[in-house]
Each structure stands twice: as structure tokens, then as C-alpha cells.
């Protein structure tokens, strides 16, 4: 009976970002020695969140959701000035600087305030990494994202930049951030992003769309976008990102690929040899 009651609890806590207290991490099932770190950086990409939460109890995994006001971007407030930043661009100084400058019109903004916003963004990245805990050769960072239907300029009124078709095209045209693409019969928007050849091969052989990041992104200056995948490469952490299409309420396009993303997650758990606690 006690166990049954305990199982109803989702052991979730709020970890507030000290420098700006409306930003926080929802932290689920944080135990010592967790090897698998699930992370949802974009608050409006939540198709598979409940599924992850329902499976993570009694596991060697923890799950973090970055939260503020439900949007894709985080808003940093520096002396009454609001700066937008992409929370998946804040894990390096270079990335944070690029994101703050791209998303905020530099022309009419005080440069000192801009520099403070970059500092705040880097601090937020450090805060998140501290919650992930120390890394070892066993650590796996698993990012969960959702993207929109198709991609911009695909001739079919697609949106965004994530699509296995687009990545194949980027590879064909010599982009340096990726070195291999497996395109399966799955929807172009449902794909894995990987940093280990073995993972990429396994997923490709099992019929999934998969992209293998170029390990050199860790040292190519132009590829330092401050994303978790690039930072993982710098720290030599095994990284996986599971991307699936979602409905975009702003455009009315796309469909939540909930079951697909659940199946992709199950497959990844099997690949990691962690099925015993994932039922
Ligand atoms: Zn995302």
C-alpha cells in the first residue's frame, strides 16, 4: 500500500535560477549517481514530457524541464531591459553572445546591458549544467525537442530548420556540423541527433532517421553555437536528441507525433540497454 501511494508521486522539485528567480528547472527524480540526464530546454516543445515523467521513477535517470513563461525562448531582465535568448545556445560564451545579439536588435541597445545579458545567459547555462551533475564515461545527455512541419523554403510551406531532408541537403552541400545522415521511411521531422557513430549506426539500422554530428564541431570556431550537442562534444559526453513533429499553434500547422516520439524513446532505451526499469 505504501509503495502504491509512493508510486503515485512524481518526485518533482523546483530549482530556482538564483540570478533571476522567474526562471527555474523542474527537476524530476534527482538521485545520486544518475547516469542518464533527460532535458527539455524549450518549454513549448513538450509532446513527450508526460511520458518521460511517468517512466523515470526508480531509474538511474533524472529529468529536467527549463521553465519560465511557456515560451521557446528565455527572457532575461537586465535593469528593466528584456533580452531574449535561446536556452539551447547558452552552454558556451560564444554561443550565448551569438544568440543574445541575433535575437535582440543591437542598434538601439546599450552595449553594457547587452554584455550583462550575455553574462546572465552564460550563468544560466552553468546553472543548468550544475544540476545535471558531474559527468563520467557512463553519462548520457538526452535532449527532447519538437519541431514544426517540413522546413522553410521546402516548396511545401514548411516551417523551421529541422528535417532529415534538409540535413541530407546540408550534408550534400558540404556543411561541416554533420558527417552522416540516415534517412528512413519515417517522417522527415522525426529524427535522432547523435554524437557517437555506434548510436547513429544502431538507429539507422533500426529504421530511424538519424544525424551524426561532426566531432570537429568541438574545435571549429564557426560551429560553436553554444548548443548542448556542441558542448557535449567538447566534454566528450554521449549525447542524443530525440526530435519529433508537433502542432504549432501559431501557424496551425503540424501534428503532435506523440506516439512516434514515445516509440523513438523506447528504441533509444533499448539501445542504451536500460529496458529493465523502462516499462
Ligand atoms: Zn527545441
Amino acid at each position: 500500500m505504501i509503495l502504491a501511494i509512493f508510486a503515485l508521486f512524481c518526485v518533482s522539485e523546483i530549482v530556482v535560477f538564483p540570478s533571476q528567480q522567474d526562471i527555474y528547472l523542474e527537476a524530476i527524480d534527482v538521485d545520486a549517481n544518475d547516469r542518464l540526464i533527460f532535458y527539455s530546454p524549450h518549454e513549448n516543445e513538450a509532446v513527450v514530457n508526460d511520458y518521460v515523467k511517468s517512466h523515470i521513477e526508480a531509474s538511474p535517470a533524472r529529468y529536467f524541464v527549463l521553465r519560465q513563461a511557456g515560451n521557446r525562448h528565455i527572457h532575461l531582465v537586465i535593469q528593466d531591459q528584456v533580452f531574449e535568448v535561446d536556452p539551447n545556445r547558452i552552454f558556451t560564451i560564444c554561443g550565448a553572445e551569438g544568440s543574445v545579439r541575433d535575437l535582440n536588435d543591437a542598434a538601439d541597445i546599450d552595449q553594457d546591458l547587452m554584455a550583462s545579458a550575455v553574462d546572465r545567459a552564460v550563468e544560466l547555462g552553468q546553472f543548468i549544467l550544475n544540476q545535471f551533475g558531474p559527468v563520467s564515461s557512463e553519462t548520457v545527455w538526452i535532449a527532447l525537442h519538437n519541431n514544426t512541419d517540413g522546413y522553410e523554403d521546402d516548396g511545401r510551406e514548411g516551417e523551421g530548420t529541422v528535417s532529415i531532408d534538409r540535413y541530407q541537403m546540408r550534408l550534400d552541400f558540404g556543411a561541416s556540423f554533420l558527417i552522416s545522415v540516415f534517412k528512413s521511411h519515417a517522417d522527415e521531422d522525426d529524427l535522432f541527433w547523435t554524437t557517437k557513430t555506434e548510436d547513429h549506426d544502431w538507429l539507422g539500422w533500426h529504421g530511424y532517421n538519424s544525424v551524426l554530428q561532426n566531432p570537429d564541431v568541438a574545435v571549429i570556431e564557426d560551429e560553436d553555437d553554444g548548443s548542448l550537442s556542441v558542448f557535449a562534444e567538447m566534454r566528450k559526453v554521449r549525447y542524443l536528441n530525440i526530435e519529433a513533429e508537433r502542432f504549432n499553434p501559431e501557424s496551425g500547422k503540424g501534428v503532435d507525433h506523440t506516439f512516434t516520439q514515445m516509440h523513438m524513446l523506447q528504441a533509444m532505451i533499448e539501445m542504451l540497454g536500460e529496458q529493465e526499469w523502462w516499462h
Side-chain angles (χ1 to χ4, degrees):
M1 191 57 197
I2 292 170
L3 272 178
I5 291 166
F6 186 71
L8 292 174
F9 275 95
C10 192
V11 185
S12 170
E13 55 180 303
I14 301 302
V15 189
V16 173
F17 177 43
S19 306
Q20 189 176 322
Q21 303 204 352
D22 64 328
I23 303 169
Y24 61 96
L25 283 167
E26 183 186 357
I28 295 119
D29 195 32
V30 177
D31 300 319
N33 306 317
D34 286 332
R35 302 190 305 279
L36 310 184
I37 308 296
F38 288 87
Y39 178 51
S40 295
H42 294 132
E43 208 176 354
N44 63 341
E45 300 171 11
V47 166
V48 85
N49 289 19
D50 287 344
Y51 180 66
V52 176
K53 284 180 193 175
S54 69
H55 280 77
I56 213 154
E57 298 294 326
S59 72
R62 60 180 70 173
Y63 179 31
F64 296 99
V65 183
L66 183 64
R67 294 201 182 280
Q68 186 181 36
N71 304 316
R72 173 182 173 82
H73 290 154
I74 290 290
H75 292 85
L76 303 168
V77 184
I78 312 286
Q79 294 177 23
D80 297 334
Q81 177 95 40
V82 179
F83 292 87
E84 242 181 274
V85 70
D86 182 336
N88 196 33
R89 293 288 180 273
I90 59 177
F91 296 105
T92 66
I93 295 170
C94 184
E97 203 161 53
S99 183
V100 169
R101 290 192 187 282
D102 283 353
L103 295 174
N104 304 278
D105 190 358
D108 42 308
I109 293 175
D110 181 286
Q111 290 305 300
D112 287 344
L113 286 186
M114 184 81 97
S116 299
V118 173
D119 288 347
R120 175 81 55 87
V122 172
E123 229 178 283
L124 179 59
Q126 289 303 313
F127 163 76
I128 294 162
L129 293 169
N130 286 342
Q131 299 303 315
F132 286 3
V135 297
S136 73
S137 56
E138 302 288 298
T139 304
V140 189
W141 287 343
I142 303 152
L144 303 168
H145 288 268
N146 295 116
N147 65 83
T148 44
D149 192 25
Y151 60 95
E152 268 165 41
D153 303 323
D154 62 1
R156 288 172 284 135
E157 300 186 339
E159 302 177 311
T161 56
V162 176
S163 151
I164 201 73
D165 292 342
R166 183 172 173 275
Y167 290 134
Q168 181 66 64
M169 205 168 62
R170 296 295 307 272
L171 182 65
D172 294 346
F173 282 90
S176 57
F177 61 91
L178 70 180
I179 47 173
S180 173
V181 168
F182 283 125
K183 178 173 156 48
S184 75
H185 295 297
D187 186 287
E188 64 178 298
D189 297 300
D190 303 332
L191 61 94
F192 286 92
W193 188 276
T194 67
T195 61
K196 301 287 176 216
T197 307
E198 310 79 63
D199 293 342
H200 177 61
D201 289 349
W202 193 98
L203 292 162
W205 279 105
H206 284 77
Y208 295 97
N209 291 326
S210 180
V211 174
L212 179 61
Q213 179 170 270
N214 182 359
D216 291 346
V217 296
V219 291
I220 303 173
E221 208 174 306
D222 285 350
E223 296 296 345
D224 178 2
D225 64 359
S227 63
L228 190 59
S229 67
V230 166
F231 184 73
E233 205 79 69
M234 291 170 173
R235 289 293 156 92
K236 300 193 171 16
V237 175
R238 188 178 181 181
Y239 169 93
L240 291 150
N241 165 12
I242 311 177
E243 283 273 4
E245 184 180 316
R246 72 176 174 105
F247 170 69
N248 179 4
E250 283 157 34
S251 66
K253 292 178 187 170
V255 175
D256 281 351
H257 286 186
T258 314
F259 286 104
T260 304
Q261 200 168 16
M262 284 163 60
H263 284 296
M264 291 169 80
L265 233 157
Q266 282 169 353
M268 184 206 67
I269 291 289
E270 191 192 327
M271 179 180 80
L272 296 173
E274 296 285 347
Q275 312 89 303
E276 77 273 11
W277 55 268
W278 190 280
H279 301 293

